[in-house]
């Protein structure tokens, strides 16, 4: 497959894809977990958020359920979670402090990956059902937020006093990454000359993140399988071109990118 640099775009999920599932044997935070870990939010939030996750996460990861069966359940989860957070009136500084003190970690090799994409002018679209404000802070804190990067996610909305009042725009959950948001914008139209895509995700819903891309000729789908490995491996191997098991690095992705860059020299 010829993935020429000038014709390449990278589309990646964030939680458990660009970020680690575990670090030194401990499970790392996702965007939403960052808020539960911190000392900023009240205990009622943490208790209720954990209860929601304990109930809904097994449903999200159940390989026996279809995506169609999961969608209304995910909408229910995200609606409750966002409503719960909206009660807490956090500020931008609160988000920054919680990120700095969290266990959220970018994968080993992620900084090199970001820097190389920037150096070679390859666009990186990060498409996440997490919280955009948290993603931005994680990247700023642990790497560099380059100007070739666009983060599409659920962003907090603030009032004139800088306190959160809710969320901006339409909700993005795990299984609607083929709708609205970036697909209704002109992002992909502006990049229609880039017809080769590297897509990176950790869920089946991530497979649709680049559905809005125009004129795609080649798409390399790289999946990170972190949980329920035995139950999900066969399905993931059918859906993704490459499946990476329980690996907290970007070594495979970076090796592919090196080959692409070398082919252009």
């Amino acid at each position: 497959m010829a993935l020429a640099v000038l014709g390449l775009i990278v589309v990646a999920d964030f939680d458990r894809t660009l970020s680690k599932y575990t670090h030194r044997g401990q499970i790392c935070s996702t965007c939403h977990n960052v808020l539960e870990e911190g000392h900023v939010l009240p205990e009622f939030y943490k208790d209720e958020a954990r209860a929601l996750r304990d109930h809904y996460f097994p449903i999200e990861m159940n390989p026996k359920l279809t995506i169609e069966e999961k969608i209304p359940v995910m909408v229910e989860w995200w609606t409750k979670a966002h409503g719960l957070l909206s009660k807490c009136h956090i500020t931008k500084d609160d988000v920054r402090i919680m990120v700095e003190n969290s266990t959220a970690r970018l994968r080993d090799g992620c900084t090199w990956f970001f820097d190389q994409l920037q150096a070679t002018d390859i666009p990186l679209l990060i498409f996440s059902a997490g919280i955009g404000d948290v993603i931005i802070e994680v990247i700023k804190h642990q790497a560099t937020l380059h100007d070739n990067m666009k983060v599409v996610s659920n962003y907090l909305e603030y009032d004139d006093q800088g306190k959160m009042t809710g969320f901006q725009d339409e909700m993005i959950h795990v299984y609607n990454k083929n709708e609205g948001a970036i697909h209704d914008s002109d992002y992909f139209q502006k990049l229609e000359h880039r017809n080769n895509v590297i897509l990176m995700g950790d869920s089946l819903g991530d497979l649709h993140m680049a559905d809005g891309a125009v004129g795609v000729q080649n798409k390399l789908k790289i999946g990170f399988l972190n949980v329920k490995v035995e139950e999900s491996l066969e399905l993931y191997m059918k859906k993704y071109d490459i499946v990476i098991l329980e690996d907290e690095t970007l070594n495979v992705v970076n090796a592919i990118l090196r080959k692409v860059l070398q082919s252009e020299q």
Side-chain angles (χ1 to χ4, degrees):
M1 183 193 314
L3 290 171
V5 171
L6 292 178
L8 177 62
I9 179 174
V10 178
V11 182
D13 173 51
F14 185 78
D15 285 327
R16 314 304 202 211
T17 299
L18 294 175
S19 71
K20 293 185 176 184
Y21 178 63
T22 61
H23 180 68
R24 297 176 180 173
Q26 300 295 317
I27 294 179
C28 296
S29 286
T30 62
C31 292
H32 288 90
N33 295 152
V34 164
L35 307 180
E36 297 173 33
E37 284 185 342
H39 300 294
V40 175
L41 292 175
E43 289 303 314
F44 83 82
Y45 171 83
K46 299 177 185 179
D47 291 341
E48 291 185 38
R50 290 189 192 106
L52 288 173
R53 185 178 68 251
D54 290 346
H55 175 71
Y56 289 105
F57 184 66
I59 299 174
E60 176 190 340
M61 299 308 298
N62 188 341
K64 296 181 180 178
L65 296 176
T66 65
I67 290 178
E68 289 71 23
E69 291 173 316
K70 292 179 182 181
I71 286 175
V73 183
M74 295 301 101
V75 171
E76 186 176 283
W77 181 9
W78 258 247
T79 300
K80 290 181 179 179
H82 287 184
L84 178 63
L85 183 59
S86 297
K87 297 177 182 178
C88 300
H89 306 297
I90 59 175
T91 66
K92 293 181 180 180
D93 280 343
D94 290 335
V95 174
R96 177 182 55 78
I97 291 168
M98 285 188 284
V99 167
E100 290 177 354
N101 294 295
S102 75
T103 61
R105 297 286 185 276
L106 292 174
R107 287 183 183 270
D108 298 340
C110 209
T111 296
W112 184 90
F113 180 65
F114 290 164
D115 291 348
Q116 290 301 308
L117 294 180
Q118 164 71 6
T120 52
D121 197 29
I122 298 172
L124 170 60
L125 170 64
I126 299 174
F127 203 161
S128 172
I131 300 173
D133 308 66
V134 172
I135 294 170
I136 295 293
E137 289 299 330
V138 170
I139 295 173
K140 285 182 177 179
H141 186 59
Q142 299 180 26
T144 302
L145 186 68
H146 294 296
D147 58 14
N148 67 318
M149 300 163 68
K150 183 176 182 64
V151 180
V152 175
S153 188
N154 299 297
Y155 282 92
L156 307 183
E157 192 162 43
Y158 301 93
D159 62 19
D160 294 338
Q161 285 72 47
K163 293 185 177 181
M164 179 198 173
T165 57
F167 281 81
Q168 304 175 27
D169 305 320
E170 296 180 11
M171 174 200 306
I172 300 175
H173 59 76
V174 179
Y175 294 112
N176 73 338
K177 291 185 177 183
N178 62 324
E179 304 172 0
I182 199 68
H183 301 296
D184 286 342
S185 74
D186 61 355
Y187 179 80
F188 283 120
Q189 280 70 33
K190 289 180 178 179
L191 298 173
E192 61 182 350
H193 61 288
R194 295 181 179 268
N195 46 29
N196 300 302
V197 177
I198 293 178
L199 183 146
M200 302 159 54
D202 76 312
S203 78
L204 299 181
D206 292 335
L207 290 162
H208 300 288
M209 292 186 296
D211 282 3
V214 178
V216 173
Q217 296 179 7
N218 303 292
K219 183 189 296 182
L220 178 64
K221 303 183 294 295
I222 304 173
F224 294 83
L225 182 53
N226 304 297
V227 297
K228 293 188 179 293
V229 173
E230 290 185 8
E231 302 97 315
S232 304
L233 181 56
E234 182 178 356
L235 179 58
Y236 270 59
M237 290 184 68
K238 289 180 180 178
K239 299 294 186 179
Y240 283 98
D241 301 308
I242 299 172
V243 180
I244 300 170
L245 306 179
E246 301 174 299
D247 179 359
E248 304 307 329
T249 75
L250 278 186
N251 289 349
V252 173
V253 175
N254 286 344
I256 293 170
L257 182 58
R258 283 190 184 94
K259 287 292 186 182
V260 172
L261 298 181
Q262 288 170 4
S263 71
E264 294 300 304
Q265 295 177 354

